[in-house]
Amino acid sequence: MHQGTNTDHRRAPRLLATVLAALTVVAAGAVGTATPPAASAATTAAATTTAAATTAAAATASEPEGADYATDVYGDAWDFSNAADLNTSFTSGAASVTGGSLRVDLVHGDQLFLVHSISGSVPFGRDGALQPVDTAKYTRLSFSMNQPMASRIGAVYWFTCREQTAACGGGVSFPTTQGKHVYDIDLAASSTLLGKRPWKSAKMVVVRLDPVVIRSSERKGGTATIDWVRLHSAQDAAHPHAALPPGTYGTTTITPKPQTVVDSPNPSQGADLAAVQRGRSWDFRSGPATTGVRYQDLTQIARDARGLTARNAPPLRNDPRVFFPVSAFKGDTWHTLQFDMSYDGKFDLSGNAGGGKMARLIWTAAGSGTPQISNDILTYDSGNQTEVTLDLTARNPLDENALAPKLGWAGRTITSLRFDPNEDPGAAVWHLKSLHLRADPTATGSTSVAFHDAAWVPGTTAEVAVGTGRPGSHGYVAIASGVAVAKGSNTVPFRLGSMAAGRYWVRVTLTHPNGTASTSYSTSPVVMRRAS
């Protein structure tokens, strides 16, 4: 996923040569070249260069990496070393993350969603509704791309709303050049597309890159290869090469900032409802583990390493149902939904056969027999989803058009549980491996906080703090500081001591020797109890 040292980046981009003031295209010269090459042919007449400033900056022996959205927010730079770096479910042509690069077939309708969100769905994972882009901090988009088409354009689109309407959207186009080049686009300079919403008008929940625009009448234009993408802050005196990821460029070395990942506590460490109530979790690879589970509007095909393989079937082909045997339980306790499911065919949300790639959770709550229907839970075929993890109390999960009364999940006693895996009106085939409802992980007296730095360098230190408020809130208290961080997994003890028993989130801040720091929070709180 990331480089291991501050000088070894296996996809080190070429020396930054030309920075253009408007829609900036930066041509790439050979690694190790001390003199900038000429400006690319894509340079527009209105654009101005700052080659002299770039040359002066290149004389600096070392500089720290500038702020980057993916590095700061996900703890995972867009370097295309793992499938989570980009959800390719929405591309029209073939797209894959392989060999440390993103490969995209250039066809009409290609769309690379760097940050994505869809209205009417329950946000989870890297959904932009949960982690919108701070447009005041991150103002430029840079990427290294090799593509075969001459004299074309690309485009960047952004949206302040999940509906992705023109009214809440804006964007810019930019010239592209045949071959391998580094592009650096000033998003704050102008907005000329859709509703022309300025970049700095609000936080963005969707950011989309169309690497090369292909007309509907054209055939496939070849394949583009993208080595890395950065949504970064503007360059300044401390970060003259803010557009570039860590690596060595001629006489300049850019040293990485931390990529903080908190490994524990996490939702998967919490107790499982089925295991507590029935003695076994719902593992669909095993018939005995799913005894008592009932099915409707589906045909069972097989049970193997992929779990239960089934096909949507009449009378309600677009509504296969899985009913779970449960005793009444508290929604506030058992609130984390996890399921592992895949399906045959490409991701599609249309109402036609092959569409409806989404799931829903349906339940009843004490006091009413009216089904409580969740919003869509999107089941992508790539990107950051392997097992969906969704906190049903973090926000209201109900469909806006759900039946009345709308009781929801939080604060309710849940009396029945149903999962609808797929809403394809065709005879879709899907594979359900497991489903869990989990409580928060618990510990008595003490536990261990685990974390790692995905861009580790020698000399990294850590501060670990805990707090009862959700991530980003105030009131966290440090339980360890100045901790020497080793490469790979690190642990710090969390002892309750004189603190009150309760539900604690964990915050970890890592600092590199170059002075850069990053902070991440645990993906779940831990419930700390006192020994009786």
Side-chain angles (χ1 to χ4, degrees):
M1 153 166 83
H2 314 270
Q3 69 279 5
T5 71
N6 63 352
T7 59
D8 177 21
H9 193 284
R10 64 180 183 275
R11 288 177 306 287
R14 304 179 179 242
L15 178 63
L16 191 62
T18 307
V19 181
L20 308 180
L23 299 175
T24 308
V25 180
V26 181
V31 174
T33 301
T35 304
S40 89
T43 304
T44 61
T48 59
T49 67
T50 58
T54 305
T55 302
T60 304
S62 177
E63 71 178 71
E65 178 186 2
D68 167 62
Y69 171 83
T71 299
D72 297 343
V73 176
Y74 303 146
D76 183 7
W78 287 323
D79 59 7
F80 305 116
S81 58
N82 67 88
D85 283 346
L86 190 85
N87 187 336
T88 59
S89 298
F90 302 95
T91 58
S92 296
S96 62
V97 176
T98 180
S101 297
L102 169 66
R103 294 177 59 83
V104 184
D105 282 352
L106 297 178
V107 300
H108 176 67
D110 274 336
Q111 304 173 342
L112 302 178
F113 283 93
L114 303 174
V115 182
H116 195 250
S117 194
I118 292 182
S119 63
S121 67
V122 185
F124 66 90
R126 296 186 180 183
D127 195 295
L130 303 178
Q131 298 157 319
V133 178
D134 182 349
T135 56
K137 181 175 183 180
Y138 307 104
T139 60
R140 303 184 72 96
L141 180 70
S142 63
F143 55 96
S144 173
M145 178 172 69
N146 189 356
Q147 64 86 26
M149 304 187 75
S151 302
R152 310 296 294 206
I153 65 168
V156 183
Y157 293 89
W158 53 77
F159 300 87
T160 61
C161 67
R162 301 183 81 203
E163 291 75 14
Q164 299 181 39
T165 61
C168 74
V172 294
S173 60
F174 58 93
T176 63
T177 304
Q178 188 177 40
K180 185 171 184 177
H181 299 278
V182 173
Y183 298 81
D184 187 18
I185 303 165
D186 186 356
L187 304 178
S190 63
S191 179
T192 59
L193 302 177
L194 301 174
K196 301 181 180 179
R197 190 71 181 261
W199 174 255
K200 288 190 175 182
S201 60
K203 291 188 176 182
M204 297 298 163
V205 297
V206 175
V207 180
R208 185 183 108 199
L209 170 65
D210 295 5
V212 181
V213 176
I214 306 296
R215 293 183 290 272
S216 59
S217 59
E218 292 181 300
R219 290 190 170 191
K220 175 184 170 183
T223 300
T225 301
I226 300 176
D227 292 327
W228 50 264
V229 177
R230 287 174 59 81
L231 184 53
H232 63 93
S233 297
Q235 67 183 47
D236 55 32
H239 309 94
H241 299 92
L244 298 175
T248 298
Y249 309 87
T251 58
T252 298
T253 295
I254 300 175
T255 57
K257 65 184 303 182
Q259 297 189 35
T260 308
V261 181
V262 183
D263 301 303
S264 176
N266 67 69
S268 296
Q269 295 170 329
D272 173 64
L273 177 70
V276 171
Q277 288 194 347
R278 307 179 63 81
R280 296 188 68 168
S281 296
W282 291 312
D283 183 343
F284 288 87
R285 294 171 296 182
S286 163
T290 52
T291 298
V293 175
R294 297 184 297 110
Y295 309 94
Q296 189 174 320
D297 299 322
L298 61 89
T299 299
Q300 298 185 47
I301 299 173
R303 194 185 295 272
D304 53 28
R306 296 176 298 177
L308 171 66
T309 296
R311 177 185 292 113
N312 293 5
L316 297 176
R317 192 189 295 273
N318 67 334
D319 199 16
R321 306 175 182 190
V322 181
F323 297 88
F324 293 91
V326 296
S327 302
F329 61 90
K330 297 294 184 182
D332 284 344
T333 299
W334 305 97
H335 63 94
T336 299
L337 172 69
Q338 288 184 321
F339 65 88
D340 192 331
M341 190 186 81
S342 61
Y343 53 84
D344 294 351
K346 187 170 174 56
F347 179 75
D348 187 346
L349 294 179
S350 73
N352 305 316
K357 294 300 193 295
M358 62 187 73
R360 289 184 192 269
L361 193 69
I362 293 93
W363 65 95
T364 54
S368 174
T370 300
Q372 304 294 297
I373 304 171
S374 82
N375 237 324
D376 305 338
I377 305 172
L378 303 183
T379 50
Y380 299 114
D381 59 8
S382 71
N384 59 27
Q385 174 176 310
T386 51
E387 183 177 59
V388 171
T389 299
L390 177 61
D391 183 353
L392 296 168
T393 59
R395 62 200 55 79
N396 186 356
L398 286 180
D399 188 321
E400 295 83 357
N401 299 313
L403 304 173
K406 298 179 181 180
L407 302 179
W409 189 275
R412 303 294 176 179
T413 296
I414 310 302
T415 55
S416 72
L417 188 68
R418 172 184 133 197
F419 180 68
D420 293 5
N422 188 269
E423 294 191 2
D424 190 333
V429 174
W430 42 268
H431 317 274
L432 179 62
K433 182 181 289 187
S434 63
L435 186 142
H436 306 277
L437 266 179
R438 295 192 184 277
D440 293 329
T442 61
T444 301
S446 65
T447 187
S448 292
V449 173
F451 59 91
H452 71 276
D453 182 355
W456 178 84
V457 296
T460 301
T461 59
E463 179 191 82
V464 180
V466 297
T468 56
R470 281 190 171 272
S473 61
H474 298 289
Y476 277 65
V477 177
I479 59 172
S481 59
V483 177
V485 176
K487 187 175 183 179
S489 183
N490 294 261
T491 59
V492 166
F494 171 23
R495 298 181 179 87
L496 193 58
S498 60
M499 292 186 288
R503 193 170 180 251
Y504 287 88
W505 295 85
V506 173
R507 183 186 73 199
V508 176
T509 300
L510 299 182
T511 303
H512 276 186
N514 62 11
T516 59
S518 74
T519 297
S520 289
Y521 293 82
S522 58
T523 52
S524 169
V526 57
V527 177
M528 299 294 291
R529 298 168 175 166
R530 293 198 176 282
S532 56

